């Protein structure tokens, strides 16, 4: 038996149709907590979509978790401590422990703000993956 799973989360324009969250009081349209559906050990992932003018409605910060926001569509802003950062397709924002954060899709966005939020905690990753092994003798499957 191999240790992998496949989950189809749908195309970007389908993300808004999902309703989810970490708790009932923080659940909303356009959020899918992917790591609740897959057996992930060291990382977490949410797929998100906000309508133009919609915002998170809260600030939060983490003591142990680091987050990486990868923006794929739309235009938005992130509040990071005392700063406001413009985000859009291709923006990647790393937010470390202790930093207050919030986000919104700006009202003039031409479509939904869509992004992945990747969460990780625990031990620091090595700069160069030191646990990999190459299989030069394995033939390609295609």
């Amino acid at each position: 038996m191999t240790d992998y799973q496949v989950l189809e989360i749908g195309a970007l324009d389908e993300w808004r149709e999902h309703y989810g969250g970490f708790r009932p009081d923080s659940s909303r349209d356009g959020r899918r907590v992917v790591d609740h559906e897959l057996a992930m050990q060291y990382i977490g992932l949410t797929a998100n979509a906000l309508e133009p003018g919609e915002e998170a409605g809260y600030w939060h910060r983490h003591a142990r978790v680091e987050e990486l926001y990868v923006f794929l569509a739309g235009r938005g802003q992130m509040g990071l401590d005392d700063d406001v950062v413009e985000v859009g397709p291709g923006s990647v924002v790393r937010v470390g422990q202790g930093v207050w954060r919030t986000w919104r899709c700006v009202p003039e966005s031409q479509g939904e703000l869509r992004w992945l939020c990747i969460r990780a905690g625990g031990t620091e990753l090595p700069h160069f993956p030191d646990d990999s092994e190459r299989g030069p003798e394995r033939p390609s499957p295609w």
Side-chain angles (χ1 to χ4, degrees):
M1 185 169 141
T2 58
D3 187 14
Y4 72 86
Q5 294 172 278
V6 176
L7 174 68
E8 296 292 335
I9 64 171
L12 290 177
D13 61 353
E14 298 170 353
W15 287 9
R16 184 73 185 165
E17 298 168 15
H18 193 80
Y19 179 86
F22 295 97
R23 297 177 302 276
D25 64 329
S26 66
S27 293
R28 63 170 172 76
D29 289 330
R31 177 182 284 159
R32 186 171 195 158
V33 183
V34 176
D35 52 289
H36 288 183
E37 300 177 62
L38 296 174
M40 298 168 83
Q41 296 176 306
Y42 304 108
I43 57 173
L45 175 69
T46 60
N48 304 273
L50 291 179
E51 297 278 352
E54 191 176 14
E55 61 183 68
Y58 60 89
W59 286 83
H60 80 284
R61 65 181 175 178
H62 296 285
R64 296 186 316 267
V65 173
E66 176 180 39
E67 291 182 325
L68 185 69
Y69 294 79
V70 182
F71 292 91
L72 305 170
R75 290 278 166 210
Q77 295 175 315
M78 285 192 77
L80 299 163
D81 283 337
D82 295 327
D83 297 324
V84 175
V85 176
E86 303 291 323
V87 295
S91 298
V92 178
V93 180
R94 179 215 162 252
V95 185
Q97 297 87 348
V99 175
W100 287 101
R101 72 223 53 191
T102 192
W103 51 89
R104 76 175 187 142
C105 181
V106 294
E108 61 275 9
S109 179
Q110 295 300 305
E112 295 173 355
L113 180 64
R114 298 184 186 119
W115 74 95
L116 297 172
C117 178
I118 303 163
R119 302 178 319 281
T123 60
E124 189 174 319
L125 294 174
H127 182 70
F128 183 81
D130 59 2
D131 67 338
S132 66
E133 175 185 358
R134 293 206 176 197
E137 304 305 318
R138 283 186 70 116
S140 292
W142 36 82

